[in-house]
Amino acid sequence: MKGINKLTLVLLSLGVTVSAQAATTLKMGMQAAVGSVEYNSAKMLADTVDQMSHGELKITLYPSAQLGDDRAMMQQLTYGDLDLTYAEFGRIGLWIPRAEAVALPYVAKDYAHIRRMFESEFGQGVRDEMLAKFNWRALDTWYNGTRQTTSNRALKSIQDFQGLKLRVPNAKPNLNFAKLSGASPTPMAFSEVYLALQTNAVDGQENPLPTIKAMKFYEVQDNLAMTNHIVNDQMVLVSETSWQKLSEKEQQLIQDAVEKTGAAHTATVKAQEEELVSFFKSQGVNVTYPELTPFRQAMEPLYREFDQKIGEPLINKLANM
């Protein structure tokens, strides 16, 4: 809350110099847990905002889904009950169907490609609709890792995926990647994956490299295929209700802090991925680099279905950005 309270008036009457403006505190919720890269970057953002504003702006963090899952937090943003949260660009497809294109397997080649889509006429259109319909302002998008595949047998080409029982989350892009690559998609709870790999109930799984290390999947999987099938980004969203309560100076400060933090977050994730490939090799994991063109060609039925669903030839347009 801003303004002069009774304590401030008393202090002023005694000749004590105080700020006439109390700190503005913003709430940021996330699903990521304390200690994760996402949390550490949110903490860096909070510290940066505090430092740049000389303590007049603060961000309080609510990690580990304390405020609900991502859908619940997005709704809280709409109503102005939450100020900031994370969201993947492709995840916005739940509300704005054409945005899902970004999350389809092999549409995004890398983070630079996602940035081009985010900043393009297509991306700006999605962001404008997010703002107009849902009260979500996208301040930036950061790199958050690329999904790779581990398995109990070497995966050197798309042919090696035939019949592979591949654990995937219950999400359409991941299910389609497995199915169209020739594998047998096997959705299961994340908490059950390690034991399922250990007992060969499934033959493999797919996740970003930091997750593979954190969950120690390399202990029960001898092979890592760099399939690069889905590139994850991480948008920073602010409630437009909260945004409009800030002065132009405060808005610019937060925008600058988000971009500064994003550059550090992206650099950290990229460096971590490079180091992890070497780490997995040191643990005896066989790392393969299958040719990716056949995988993308295998996704063509999915792309055609998607274009028909949204009523425009979008996939090739995005792929060629």
Side-chain angles (χ1 to χ4, degrees):
M1 294 294 292
K2 297 181 180 179
I4 301 177
N5 58 29
K6 290 181 180 179
L7 176 60
T8 300
L9 290 171
V10 170
L11 292 172
L12 286 170
S13 69
L14 295 173
V16 179
T17 301
V18 296
S19 171
Q21 180 171 292
T24 296
T25 301
L26 303 174
K27 293 166 57 180
M28 182 174 186
M30 69 199 75
Q31 295 193 101
V34 173
S36 65
V37 177
E38 294 88 347
Y39 175 83
N40 291 341
S41 293
K43 179 68 167 59
M44 178 184 174
L45 175 62
D47 291 343
T48 302
V49 166
D50 186 38
Q51 182 180 20
M52 290 174 64
S53 71
H54 305 290
E56 292 184 3
L57 274 176
K58 295 184 179 294
I59 298 176
T60 303
L61 306 181
Y62 295 85
S64 303
Q66 290 178 42
L67 305 180
D69 63 13
D70 63 332
R71 292 194 193 202
M73 287 186 283
M74 299 284 274
Q75 186 177 50
Q76 291 165 38
L77 238 64
T78 296
Y79 295 120
D81 297 328
L82 180 64
D83 303 305
L84 294 152
T85 194
Y86 289 137
E88 290 184 15
F89 196 167
R91 181 73 165 165
I92 300 300
L94 290 171
W95 296 272
I96 303 173
R98 68 185 184 282
E100 185 189 350
V102 178
L104 298 183
Y106 297 105
V107 171
K109 299 177 180 69
D110 51 29
Y111 171 64
H113 189 191
I114 280 190
R115 280 218 70 93
R116 291 196 297 275
M117 289 189 279
F118 180 78
E119 294 166 357
S120 70
E121 182 181 351
F122 159 78
Q124 189 59 57
V126 171
R127 289 153 66 191
D128 288 347
E129 193 169 337
M130 288 164 54
L131 190 59
K133 290 186 176 180
F134 302 101
N135 214 30
W136 305 331
R137 177 180 288 270
L139 298 180
D140 198 11
T141 195
W142 307 343
Y143 178 53
N144 212 35
T146 300
R147 299 182 81 91
Q148 314 293 356
T149 308
T150 67
S151 59
N152 56 14
R153 66 175 191 247
L155 302 173
K156 299 178 180 179
S157 70
I158 194 169
Q159 284 76 26
D160 293 325
F161 275 70
Q162 292 297 318
L164 185 81
K165 289 184 291 183
L166 187 66
R167 182 271 168 184
V168 292
N170 193 17
K172 287 192 294 182
N174 309 69
L175 289 162
N176 280 310
F177 161 68
K179 179 181 177 182
L180 295 174
S181 296
S184 174
T186 309
M188 69 171 57
F190 188 57
S191 59
E192 299 172 6
V193 177
Y194 186 96
L195 182 60
L197 296 171
Q198 187 178 42
T199 59
N200 292 318
V202 293
D203 301 314
Q205 63 81 46
E206 50 82 50
N207 262 298
L209 297 182
T211 303
I212 294 169
K213 182 174 188 291
M215 300 304 295
K216 299 186 177 182
F217 293 151
Y218 61 90
E219 294 180 345
V220 288
Q221 296 268 267
D222 294 330
N223 299 278
L224 167 64
M226 303 297 285
T227 47
N228 297 300
H229 49 283
I230 295 174
V231 181
N232 292 335
D233 74 318
Q234 180 169 261
M235 290 193 296
V236 179
L237 302 185
V238 61
S239 168
E240 185 65 6
T241 301
S242 308
W243 188 251
Q244 292 305 327
K245 292 178 182 177
L246 302 172
S247 68
E248 288 186 13
K249 182 180 177 181
E250 290 170 329
Q251 291 174 353
Q252 189 61 54
L253 186 151
I254 290 174
Q255 182 71 57
D256 291 345
V258 166
E259 291 176 7
K260 180 180 179 181
T261 305
H265 177 92
T266 294
T268 296
V269 174
K270 287 182 176 180
Q272 192 177 48
E273 287 185 323
E274 290 179 10
E275 293 165 2
L276 284 174
V277 171
S278 298
F279 169 78
F280 292 135
K281 287 179 178 178
S282 75
Q283 298 300 304
V285 174
N286 174 43
V287 180
T288 58
Y289 296 83
E291 170 60 44
L292 300 184
T293 301
F295 286 93
R296 189 183 190 285
Q297 291 171 341
M299 303 299 137
E300 288 294 340
L302 172 63
Y303 300 158
R304 288 195 296 270
E305 179 185 339
F306 183 83
D307 284 347
Q308 289 170 3
K309 182 177 73 173
I310 64 167
E312 63 173 303
L314 182 60
I315 298 299
N316 281 337
K317 179 181 176 182
L318 295 180
N320 294 319
M321 279 184 178

